[in-house]
C-alpha cells in the first residue's frame, strides 16, 4: 500500500519535469546517445531471454535428422508435427499431464483455505498472542527441517505414493501468508466495525465482508500457488515410485535424465539418432508443459508483480 | 523473499509500543459493540486472557488447522533432526532409537568428500551471489531510464517470464542449447572449432550454472528495485542538477543511495540462502562426470541419505548446513543494522 501510493506520487511529480529538464540542457545530445544505447541493450536482453523458447519451439517442429545435423536454431527445418502426434499418442504423457492438473487444483484449494484463514487472524492487531503466531510462521522461513527429516516424516505418515505427499506439505507458503496478511491489514476498518455492531461474528465478518473485498489478493495467491504446484517436480521425485502417479514435470525430468545418462555413458556417440530423437521429444514435452503458463502469463503478470510489492512492504 | 522493514517511513505498518495505548481507547469502543465489558476499557492495560478468549474464540478456532499444519510439517521435521544424534532404523521411530552422541558429526568432519562438496558449495554460492546480486540492480537502473512506457512494459514482461518456468524446463533448455547439436556448438563449429560436450565437462559446470541462474532471475529481481526507485524524491535530482551533476553523478549520488535499504535487505536474504545453492537445479544438471565441481552439500546429503539410505549421517550434514544458514542470516542482519540501519526485523 505504501509503495503504491508513493508510486502514484512519484509518477505525478516527475512526469512533467523530465522533458523540460532535458530540453536544451547541456547533456541533451549525450542523453540521446545514452537512450539509444540503453534501448539497444534492453532489446538484446529481450532476444537473449526469448531465444531458448524459440529454439525449443523450432526443434519441436523439426525432423530428428535436421536436429542431428545441428541445423536447427531459429526456424524449424523439415517442418513436421510427427513428434507432436507421437507424444500425443503416449498414454503415460497424458496421464501424467492429468495428474499435474489434479495436483495443482487440489494443492491450491488446500493451500488457499489454510493461508487465507491464517492470514485473516494474523491481521487482527488486537489479538492476544498475535506476535507469537507470526513468529512461529516466520521462523520457518529461516530454518527448516531439511530433506532427510521431511522424508522420514512423510514416509512414517504413510503418505508415500499418494497425492497427499505432494499437495499437503506445500500448503502454507510464509511469503504468501505475509502478503495476504498485509492486504487484510489495509482493508478499511470501518466496514468490519459496522458489521460487528450489526452483530456479525468474526467468522461471519470474514466470510461476508472480508472475502468479497479481497478478490484481487485471492486471485494473486491462487496464481502464486498454482504456478508453484504446476512447476514442482522434486516432491514427486522423492515420494512417488509409480509412474502412473507422476506429474508431467517428472515425466520430462526422466526424459532429460535418460538422454543425459546416455550421453555420459558414451552409448550415444556424437550425433546418433537416439539423442536427436530424444531432443525432439524433449522439445515437444517442454512446449506442451509450458503452454498453460505461457497462455495465462500475459494476463496475470501484473498481479504477480503487485503481489510481490504488497508482500515486501513490511507485513 | 520476505517482508522488508527499512528505515523508510512506513506509517501503515509501524506500530511502536507508544502508539498502541494512544489508539487503544477508540479501538475498543469499536470492537465491543455488545457492550460486554465497559470495565475492561478503563483498565488501560491488556485485557485478561479469559476475556480475550471469550471474545476472540472464533479467531483462535480459525488458526487451529494452520497451527497443526505448522507443527506437523514444519516443526516436527526440525525436531526430526535429532536423528543426527541418534541411531535410526528405517521404519522405526521417526526420532530414532538410541543416542549415539556426536558420532555422525565426527563422521562428516572426518569425511574428505564432505569437505570437497563444502568448498564446491561455497564457490558456487559465492559466484552466484557475486554475479546474480548486482545484475538486477543494473537492469533496474537501465529500465528506470526508459521513457517510453510501452517499451518498458514489454521488456519487463519478457524478462520476468523465466521466473515462472519449472526448473525442469529450464534445465531442459540448457541441455538443448549446450548439446552437441545445440546452438552453442553450432556457433563453435561455424567458427571452425570442435564441438564441446559442455555438460560432461566439469570445468564448464560453474559457468553453466551461474549463467542459467542469471537468465532465470535477473528480470524478476528488478521488481523491488524498480519499486524503490519510484520512491526516490524527485527534488533531489533537481538539486543535483542545479549543483551541476550530470546523469552519471546523479545516479551515483542520488539514485543508488535512494535504493540502498532495498539493496541491503536483498543482500541479507541472499547471504542467508547462500549455502542452499539451487539444490534442484544442480541435481538436474550434474552427472558423475561433473561431480568434481558440481557436487554440493545438498546433493551429497541427498545421495548419502536417500539413495544410500544413511539417514542419520545425512541429517547431521543437513543440520550443520541449516545452522550455518541461520547464523549467516542473523549475522548479516546484525551487521547491516549496525552499518546502514536497514534490517529484516
Amino acid at each position: 500500500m505504501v509503495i503504491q501510493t508513493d508510486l502514484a506520487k512519484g509518477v505525478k511529480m516527475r512526469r512533467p519535469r523530465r522533458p523540460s529538464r532535458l530540453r536544451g540542457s547541456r547533456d541533451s545530445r549525450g542523453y540521446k546517445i545514452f537512450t539509444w544505447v540503453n534501448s539497444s541493450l534492453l532489446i538484446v536482453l529481450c532476444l537473449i531471454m526469448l531465444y531458448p523458447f524459440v529454439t525449443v519451439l523450432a526443434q519441436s517442429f523439426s525432423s530428428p535428422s535436421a536436429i542431428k545435423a545441428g541445423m536447427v536454431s531459429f526456424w524449424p527445418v523439415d517442418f513436421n508435427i510427427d513428434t507432436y502426434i507421437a507424444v500425443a499418442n503416449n498414454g503415460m504423457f497424458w496421464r501424467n499431464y492429468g495428474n499435474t492438473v489434479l495436483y495443482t487444483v487440489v494443492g491450491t484449494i488446500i493451500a488457499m483455505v489454510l493461508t487465507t484463514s491464517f492470514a485473516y487472524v494474523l491481521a487482527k492487531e488486537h489479538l492476544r498472542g498475535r506476535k507469537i503466531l507470526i513468529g512461529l510462521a516466520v521462523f520457518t522461513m529461516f530454518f527448516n527441517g531439511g530433506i532427510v527429516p521431511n522424508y522420514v516424516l512423510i514416509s512414517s505418515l504413510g503418505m508415500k505414493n499418494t497425492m497427499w505427499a505432494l499437495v499437503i506439505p506445500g500448503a502454507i507458503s510464509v511469503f504468501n501468508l505475509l502478503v495476504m496478511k498485509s492486504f487484510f491489514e489495509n482493508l478499511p476498518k470501518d466496514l468490519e466495525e459496522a458489521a460487528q455492531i450489526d452483530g456479525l461474528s468474526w467468522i461471519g465478518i470474514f466470510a461476508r465482508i472480508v472475502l468479497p473485498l479481497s478478490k484481487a489478493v485471492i486471485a494473486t495467491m491462487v496464481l502464486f500457488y498454482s504456478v508453484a504446484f504446476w512447476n514442482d517436480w522434486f516432491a514427486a521425485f522423492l515420494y512417488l515410485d509409480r509412474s502412473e502417479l507422476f506429474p508431467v514435470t517428472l515425466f520430462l525430468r526422466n526424459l532429460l535424465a535418460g538422454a543425459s545418462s546416455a550421453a555420459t555413458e558414451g552409448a550415444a556417440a556424437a550425433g546418433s539418432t537416439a539423442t536427436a530423437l530424444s531432443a525432439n521429444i524433449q522439445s515437444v514435452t517442454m512446449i506442451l508443459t509450458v503452454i498453460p503458463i505461457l497462455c495465462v502469463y500475459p494476463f496475470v503478470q501484473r498481479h504477480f508483480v503487485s503481489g510481490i510489492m504488497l508482500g515486501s512492504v513490511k507485513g | 523473499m520476505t517482508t522488508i522493514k527499512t528505515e523508510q517511513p512506513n506509517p501503515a505498518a509501524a506500530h511502536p509500543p507508544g502508539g498502541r495505548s494512544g489508539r487503544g481507547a477508540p479501538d475498543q469502543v469499536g470492537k465491543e459493540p455488545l457492550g460486554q465489558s465497559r470495565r475492561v476499557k478503563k483498565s488501560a492495560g491488556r485485557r485478561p486472557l479469559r476475556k480475550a478468549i471469550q471474545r476472540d474464540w472464533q479467531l483462535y478456532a480459525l488458526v487451529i488447522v494452520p497451527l497443526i499444519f505448522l507443527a506437523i510439517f514444519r516443526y516436527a521435521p526440525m525436531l526430526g533432526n535429532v536423528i543426527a544424534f541418534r541411531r535410526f532404523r528405517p521404519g522405526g521411530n521417526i526420532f530414532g532409537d538410541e543416542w549415539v552422541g556426536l558420532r555422525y558429526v565426527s563422521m562428516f568432519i572426518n569425511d574428505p568428500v564432505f569437505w570437497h562438496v563444502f568448498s564446491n558449495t561455497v564457490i558456487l554460492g559465492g559466484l552466484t551471489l557475486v554475479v546474480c546480486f548486482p545484475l538486477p540492480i543494473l537492469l533496474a537502473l537501465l529500465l528506470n531510464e526508459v521513457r517510453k512506457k510501452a517499451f518498458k512494459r514489454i521488456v519487463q514482461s519478457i524478462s520476468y517470464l523465466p521466473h515462472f518456468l519449472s526448473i525442469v524446463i529450464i534445465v531442459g533448455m540448457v541441455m538443448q542449447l549446450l548439446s552437441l547439436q545445440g546452438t552453442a556448438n553450432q556457433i563453435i563449429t561455424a567458427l571452425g572449432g570442435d564441438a564441446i560436450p559442455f555438460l560432461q565437462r566439469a570445468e564448464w559446470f560453474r559457468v553453466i550454472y551461474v549463467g542459467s541462474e542469471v537468465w532465470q532471475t535477473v528480470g524478476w529481481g528488478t521488481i523491488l528495485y524498480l519499486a524503490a526507485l519510484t520512491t526516490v524524491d524527485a527534488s533531489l535530482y533537481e538539486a543535483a542538477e542545479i549543483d551541476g551533476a550530470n546523469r552519471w553523478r546523479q545516479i551515483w549520488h542520488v539514485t543508488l543511495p535512494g535504493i540502498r535499504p532495498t539493496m541491503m535487505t536483498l543482500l541479507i536474504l541472499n547471504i542467508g540462502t547462500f549455502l542452499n545453492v539451487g539444490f534442484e537445479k544442480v541435481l538436474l544438471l550434474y552427472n558423475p562426470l561433473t561431480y568434481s565441481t558440481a557436487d554440493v552439500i545438498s546433493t551429497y546429503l541427498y545421495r548419502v541419505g536417500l539413495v544410500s539410505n544413511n539417514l542419520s549421517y545425512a541429517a547431521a550434514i543437513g543440520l550443520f548446513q541449516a545452522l550455518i544458514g541461520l547464523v549467516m542470516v542473523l549475522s548479516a542482519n546484525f551487521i547491516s543494522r549496525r552499518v546502514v540501519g536497514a534490517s529484516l526485523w
Side-chain angles (χ1 to χ4, degrees):
Chain A
M1 279 303 158
V2 175
I3 275 192
Q4 279 167 353
T5 51
D6 281 344
L7 213 142
K9 216 196 305 164
V11 170
K12 257 184 225 137
M13 282 161 60
R14 263 163 89 181
R15 271 279 125 166
R17 203 171 297 116
R18 279 273 159 149
S20 67
R21 184 160 81 92
L22 298 168
R23 204 182 306 136
S25 93
R26 270 178 297 112
D27 57 5
S28 78
R29 221 183 101 226
Y31 182 63
K32 248 182 214 152
I33 297 173
F34 170 78
T35 311
W36 193 82
V37 172
N38 189 12
S39 309
S40 329
L41 270 178
L42 291 175
I43 288 171
V44 170
L45 177 93
C46 286
L47 293 179
I48 293 174
M49 286 290 162
L50 288 179
Y51 181 74
F53 294 95
V54 173
T55 187
V56 169
L57 196 62
Q59 290 205 16
S60 72
F61 285 113
S62 301
S63 68
S65 57
I67 296 177
K68 175 182 153 191
M71 284 154 59
V72 185
S73 53
F74 291 97
W75 208 246
V77 178
D78 303 341
F79 182 91
N80 69 82
I81 56 166
D82 296 351
T83 322
Y84 277 92
I85 294 171
V87 173
N89 285 331
N90 183 339
M92 195 51 88
F93 171 78
W94 288 115
R95 185 152 190 176
N96 291 350
Y97 211 86
N99 286 338
T100 294
V101 174
L102 175 73
Y103 300 156
T104 304
V105 171
V106 175
T108 308
I109 291 173
I110 295 176
M112 284 307 293
V113 171
L114 289 185
T115 308
T116 316
S117 55
F118 201 9
Y120 172 68
V121 176
L122 294 184
K124 288 275 159 280
E125 283 175 25
H126 71 274
L127 192 76
R128 281 285 286 269
R130 171 177 181 262
K131 287 248 163 82
I132 300 173
L133 292 175
I134 295 176
L136 278 175
V138 170
F139 182 67
T140 62
M141 262 177 141
F142 294 103
F143 192 81
N144 67 54
I147 301 171
V148 172
N150 272 308
Y151 180 83
V152 171
L153 175 80
I154 297 290
S155 318
S156 71
L157 289 175
M159 283 161 68
K160 275 191 81 176
N161 281 315
T162 68
M163 162 170 99
W164 308 114
L166 276 61
V167 297
I168 292 182
I172 295 182
S173 139
V174 177
F175 176 76
N176 292 353
L177 179 72
L178 295 174
V179 170
M180 282 206 109
K181 171 178 151 292
S182 56
F183 182 89
F184 289 148
E185 276 169 356
N186 287 310
L187 285 178
K189 298 273 182 293
D190 337 7
L191 268 175
E192 287 192 49
E193 283 166 14
Q196 222 171 11
I197 293 169
D198 290 347
L200 267 184
S201 65
W202 286 120
I203 290 179
I205 294 174
F206 179 48
R208 298 220 233 145
I209 313 277
V210 173
L211 287 185
L213 283 175
S214 311
K215 284 184 193 125
V217 78
I218 290 175
T220 312
M221 291 299 112
V222 166
L223 296 168
F224 272 134
Y225 277 122
S226 45
V227 168
F229 282 113
W230 185 276
N231 284 338
D232 185 44
W233 70 284
F234 189 64
F237 178 66
L238 275 187
Y239 302 127
L240 302 183
D241 302 323
R242 302 213 308 270
S243 61
E244 68 267 25
L245 294 174
F246 289 175
V248 72
T249 42
L250 191 53
F251 179 89
L252 176 59
R253 181 265 162 198
N254 290 341
L255 278 184
L256 297 176
S260 153
S261 68
T264 307
E265 285 154 19
S272 84
T273 326
T275 36
L277 187 62
S278 83
N280 204 304
I281 295 173
Q282 282 168 23
S283 305
V284 172
T285 314
M286 276 154 72
I287 294 293
L288 292 176
T289 311
V290 291
I291 274 180
I293 290 189
L294 291 185
C295 288
V296 293
Y297 176 70
F299 305 102
V300 305
Q301 186 230 124
R302 188 186 324 236
H303 293 287
F304 275 111
V305 175
S306 60
I308 282 282
M309 306 238 254
L310 198 58
S312 48
V313 181
K314 168 65 185 155
Chain B
M1 209 59 48
T2 180
T3 60
I4 292 172
K5 185 163 149 194
T6 65
E7 12 169 42
Q8 287 168 342
N10 197 346
H15 33 100
R20 173 161 286 216
S21 58
R23 240 180 332 151
D27 231 81
Q28 285 174 2
V29 173
K31 295 219 166 116
E32 279 171 18
L34 307 176
Q36 46 183 305
S37 55
R38 298 232 134 216
R39 271 174 302 126
V40 181
K41 198 171 56 186
K42 280 181 196 143
S43 66
R46 317 186 71 177
R47 72 189 65 238
L49 187 61
R50 196 149 45 87
K51 292 279 182 197
I53 290 176
Q54 196 179 3
R55 199 185 67 159
D56 295 330
W57 67 269
Q58 289 196 330
L59 293 178
Y60 290 115
L62 279 177
V63 293
I64 290 176
V65 178
L67 279 184
I68 292 175
F69 171 84
L70 284 184
I72 296 179
F73 292 99
R74 296 290 183 270
Y75 285 93
M78 277 181 214
L79 298 178
N81 274 312
V82 70
I83 62 170
F85 310 106
R86 289 168 74 88
R87 193 183 309 284
F88 175 80
R89 260 184 313 106
N93 185 343
I94 72 163
F95 297 114
D97 295 326
E98 79 245 358
W99 291 100
V100 294
L102 295 179
R103 194 180 134 184
Y104 295 109
V105 176
S106 66
M107 225 165 117
F108 79 69
I109 284 177
N110 295 318
D111 178 355
V113 183
F114 171 78
W115 292 108
H116 180 72
V117 298
F118 183 80
S119 66
N120 272 346
T121 310
V122 172
I123 294 171
L124 203 58
L127 279 176
T128 311
L129 187 66
V130 168
V131 177
C132 292
F133 177 69
L135 285 177
I137 303 175
L138 191 66
L139 181 57
L141 290 177
L142 292 183
L143 277 170
N144 195 44
E145 296 297 330
V146 173
R147 289 287 153 254
K148 288 208 175 61
K149 277 209 151 176
F151 178 60
K152 184 175 174 182
R153 217 171 20 240
I154 292 172
V155 176
Q156 284 178 285
S157 299
I158 292 176
S159 61
Y160 295 165
L161 185 55
H163 176 82
F164 295 95
L165 300 182
S166 172
I167 194 75
V168 182
I169 303 273
I170 291 183
V171 168
M173 285 177 170
V174 170
M175 285 179 166
Q176 300 221 332
L177 289 174
L178 299 179
S179 73
L180 284 172
Q181 303 84 33
T183 308
N185 277 318
Q186 286 172 19
I187 295 171
I188 290 176
T189 45
L191 295 176
D194 286 328
I196 302 171
F198 289 100
L199 291 163
Q200 276 73 13
R201 291 282 166 81
E203 69 269 24
W204 281 99
F205 183 83
R206 286 172 185 146
V207 179
I208 294 169
Y209 178 88
V210 175
S212 60
E213 197 71 10
V214 169
W215 184 78
Q216 193 190 352
T217 59
V218 68
W220 190 249
T222 60
I223 291 180
L224 291 175
Y225 293 116
L226 287 172
L229 282 169
T230 61
T231 65
V232 177
D233 190 349
S235 61
L236 291 176
Y237 288 104
E238 258 181 12
E241 178 135 357
I242 291 166
D243 290 346
N246 61 24
R247 290 197 84 76
W248 299 111
R249 296 193 73 92
Q250 286 178 29
I251 288 180
W252 187 254
H253 292 291
V254 179
T255 312
L256 283 179
I259 60 173
R260 196 170 62 175
T262 310
M263 282 163 60
M264 284 316 299
T265 315
L266 292 180
L267 187 61
I268 298 170
L269 285 174
N270 282 335
I271 289 173
T273 52
F274 164 77
L275 280 189
N276 306 344
V277 277
F279 165 54
E280 291 185 20
K281 191 154 106 185
V282 177
L283 195 62
L284 288 167
L285 264 180
Y286 79 167
N287 58 57
L289 294 180
T290 51
Y291 277 179
S292 63
T293 54
D295 203 8
V296 292
I297 300 178
S298 39
T299 49
Y300 178 60
L301 82 84
Y302 164 77
R303 286 202 313 279
V304 169
L306 301 183
V307 180
S308 320
N309 235 333
N310 202 340
L311 290 162
S312 283
Y313 184 44
I317 298 177
L319 185 60
F320 174 74
Q321 188 187 10
L323 286 177
I324 291 188
L326 189 63
V327 168
M328 286 184 35
V329 179
L330 292 177
S331 39
N333 193 46
F334 176 78
I335 293 170
S336 138
R337 187 164 47 199
R338 279 296 161 88
V339 178
V340 295
S343 67
L344 290 180
W345 57 82

